[in-house]
């Protein structure tokens, strides 16, 4: 047995989060793609059987009231809130990340215009996930703003009197680089602009501190580190003191002050409910609610500590096992700049390497042209998994 494997087994034995692994449906593979789709919590199928057979099959329409369907978007939002550092009453769940980015960004520009000063510019992360860029471009056209792609590190110097809103990713989806949310939010506020943060690769992986850092608006998906299931609805955070100014570009009957009044004129509801649009996707929403129960009693700080330990250990194992020159880490070494994934540049047939890894039971993913991504979900990934992944990678590329 290698020294690294012995160390891995010892660290797993001392891991306070190790018991959570049994709460997920896992086969013998090393699953390092939770930053794309989280594993299934084992109790969710039985919960969904009740939703389908009893709530839908027997109660039918009565479940909107008796089953709590109507209030699920806010209720599930309040389950997510502590995981992103928010108090209750500011987070609503529904729609996709893309739709929520659009709502938040247009609302941010509208608030900036209300403040005065002729603001007509949106800054967007130049390396953002493509859809965020597409949405930002559409929002800019809709609001007659100029769109300026900039690197997050350049945002403070790019801000000016014309900047209305800044759309940034908390963690870069390709490299796993963690951007400085507190400092960038403060810089935007100093310039009179509003922030919209995309938390898809940080929610459930590390402390975010939305309330503590005064973030204006934030969105995030729930099918990655929150394990909500494929296509599970996203969340939208609206800071409490901005809720009465949140002017959604997608007003719907579900966000109306009197949703069953069926009045022709729109009057927005109070609070985070303004973030709702149409009828909630109840099956996905309740699957997410059940999945979030695995977080009961779990500290996000403990998850972050294990995440950093796992990614440190993986990089160390890669350094010792993989022949020199075959891969290169593009994920920052500094903990303050690292999310919960490791991205390795593999100049020789990265897509083929990942296919062979998956064939040998190490599941990550490939981002063109040459990036191998490995996501570390501390709720169910251990140190022995990490050592095995690096050892198999060395065999595949060597």
């Amino acid at each position: 047995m290698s020294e690294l494997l012995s160390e891995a087994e010892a660290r797993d034995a001392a891991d306070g989060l190790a018991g959570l692994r049994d709460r997920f449906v896992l086969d013998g593979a090393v699953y390092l793609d939770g930053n794309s789709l989280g594993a299934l919590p084992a109790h969710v199928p039985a919960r969904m059987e009740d939703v389908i057979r009893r709530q839908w099959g027997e109660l039918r329409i009565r479940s909107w009231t008796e089953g709590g369907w109507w209030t699920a978007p806010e209720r599930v939002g309040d389950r997510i809130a502590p995981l992103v550092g928010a108090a209750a009453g500011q987070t609503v769940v529904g729609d996709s990340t893309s739709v929520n980015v659009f709502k938040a960004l247009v609302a941010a520009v509208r608030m900036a215009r209300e403040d005065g000063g002729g603001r007509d510019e949106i800054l967007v992360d130049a390396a953002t996930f493509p859809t965020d860029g597409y949405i930002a471009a559409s929002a800019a056209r809709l609001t007659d703003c100029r769109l300026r792609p900039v690197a997050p590190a350049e945002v403070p110097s790019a801000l000016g009197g014309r900047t209305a809103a800044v759309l940034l990713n908390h963690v870069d989806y390709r490299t796993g680089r963690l951007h400085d949310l507190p400092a960038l939010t403060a810089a935007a506020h100093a310039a009179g602009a509003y922030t919209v943060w995309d938390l898809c690769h940080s929610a459930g992986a590390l402390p975010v501190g939305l309330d503590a850092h005064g973030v204006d608006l934030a969105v995030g998906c729930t099918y990655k580190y929150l394990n909500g299931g494929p296509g599970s609805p996203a969340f939208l955070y609206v800071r409490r003191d901005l809720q009465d100014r949140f002017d959604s570009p997608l007003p719907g009957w579900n966000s109306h002050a009197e949703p069953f009044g069926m009045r022709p004129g729109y009057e927005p509801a109070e609070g985070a409910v303004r973030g709702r649009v149409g009828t909630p996707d109840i099956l996905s929403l309740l699957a997410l609610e059940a999945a979030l129960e695995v977080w009961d009693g779990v500290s996000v700080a403990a998850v972050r500590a294990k995440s950093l330990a796992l990614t440190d250990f993986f990089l160390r194992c890669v350094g010792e096992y993989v022949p020199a020159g075959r891969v290169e880490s593009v994920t920052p070494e500094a903990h303050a700049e690292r999310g919960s994934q490791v991205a390795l540049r593999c100049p020789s047939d990265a897509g083929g390497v990942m296919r062979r890894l998956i064939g040998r039971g190490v599941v990550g993913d490939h981002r063109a042209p040459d990036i191998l991504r490995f996501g570390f979900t501390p709720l169910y990934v251990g140190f022995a998994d990490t050592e095995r992944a690096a050892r198999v990678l060395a065999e595949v590329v060597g």
Side-chain angles (χ1 to χ4, degrees):
M1 182 183 296
S2 74
E3 291 184 6
L4 285 172
L5 179 54
S6 296
E7 178 183 340
E9 293 177 346
R11 295 179 77 167
D12 281 337
D15 176 19
L17 298 178
L20 294 169
R21 183 187 182 99
D22 293 337
R23 301 189 65 180
F24 290 87
V25 177
L26 298 166
D27 53 20
V30 177
Y31 189 62
L32 301 181
D33 208 7
N35 54 333
S36 287
L37 176 64
L40 171 67
H43 66 280
V44 170
R47 187 69 55 81
M48 291 311 297
E49 183 175 8
D50 176 73
V51 171
I52 293 170
R53 293 188 181 277
R54 183 181 65 84
Q55 296 181 37
W56 179 13
E58 298 175 15
L59 292 179
R60 292 179 288 277
I61 197 143
R62 291 159 52 199
S63 284
W64 284 105
T65 52
E66 294 179 31
W69 287 2
W70 184 259
T71 57
E74 297 81 58
R75 185 176 70 245
V76 180
D78 284 345
R79 290 295 299 263
I80 292 172
L83 304 180
V84 292
Q90 301 174 100
T91 308
V92 66
V93 176
D95 306 311
S96 66
T97 304
S98 304
V99 172
N100 284 327
V101 167
F102 180 73
K103 288 186 283 189
L105 192 54
V106 173
V109 172
R110 289 176 173 176
M111 289 189 289
R113 293 264 171 82
E114 285 180 356
D115 294 341
R119 295 179 180 269
D120 60 358
E121 177 183 78
I122 296 172
L123 301 184
V124 63
D125 184 340
T128 190
F129 186 77
T131 293
D132 283 21
Y134 307 154
I135 294 292
S138 178
R141 291 194 300 272
L142 179 69
T143 57
D144 290 324
C145 282
R146 179 174 68 134
L147 184 66
R148 287 182 60 198
V150 297
E154 298 170 358
V155 165
S157 61
L159 288 161
R162 297 177 61 179
T163 309
V166 185
L167 171 62
L168 295 169
N169 297 91
H170 196 192
V171 175
D172 186 285
Y173 80 100
R174 283 191 186 89
T175 67
R177 178 178 290 276
L178 173 64
H179 298 301
D180 192 341
L181 180 147
L184 292 172
T185 299
H189 288 170
Y194 290 84
T195 55
V196 179
W197 283 94
D198 182 331
L199 308 179
C200 285
H201 286 270
S202 59
L206 52 91
V208 178
L210 292 179
D211 286 353
H213 303 306
V215 168
D216 304 306
L217 302 155
V219 303
C221 67
T222 60
Y223 49 79
K224 300 183 191 295
Y225 296 106
L226 297 180
N227 309 297
S232 57
F235 63 89
L236 169 66
Y237 164 90
V238 182
R239 201 177 70 217
R240 193 179 308 280
D241 62 306
L242 297 177
Q243 290 175 0
D244 62 350
R245 298 180 59 202
F246 182 80
D247 182 9
S248 174
L250 296 173
W253 78 286
N254 254 239
S255 62
H256 197 286
E258 288 187 56
F260 293 97
M262 304 301 169
R263 292 190 272 125
Y266 179 72
E267 180 184 343
E270 296 293 327
V273 177
R274 289 187 179 202
R276 294 173 65 157
V277 182
T279 305
D281 185 340
I282 290 298
L283 298 184
S284 291
L285 190 56
L286 297 188
L288 168 62
E289 183 174 35
L292 289 169
E293 291 178 9
V294 300
W295 285 93
D296 290 347
V298 176
S299 160
V300 178
V303 168
R304 175 59 169 166
K306 183 178 176 183
S307 164
L308 291 172
L310 286 169
T311 50
D312 277 344
F313 188 61
F314 181 67
L315 288 168
R316 187 171 137 218
C317 290
V318 168
E320 294 203 23
Y321 290 161
V322 178
R326 302 300 172 87
V327 297
E328 173 195 5
S329 175
V330 296
T331 298
E333 291 186 12
H335 287 181
E337 299 176 357
R338 188 194 307 164
S340 197
Q341 74 178 48
V342 172
L344 301 178
R345 177 167 288 121
C346 180
S348 178
D349 188 24
V353 167
M354 184 52 69
R355 286 191 294 273
R356 292 192 290 276
L357 282 171
I358 292 171
R360 294 189 57 178
V362 175
V363 182
D365 66 13
H366 165 241
R367 286 293 178 266
D370 58 0
I371 296 296
L372 306 174
R373 290 198 322 170
F374 301 94
F376 292 82
T377 305
L379 300 186
Y380 53 77
V381 173
F383 290 91
D385 296 322
T386 303
E387 187 274 342
R388 176 182 162 193
R391 181 162 31 88
V392 174
L393 174 63
E395 295 168 0
V396 167
V397 300

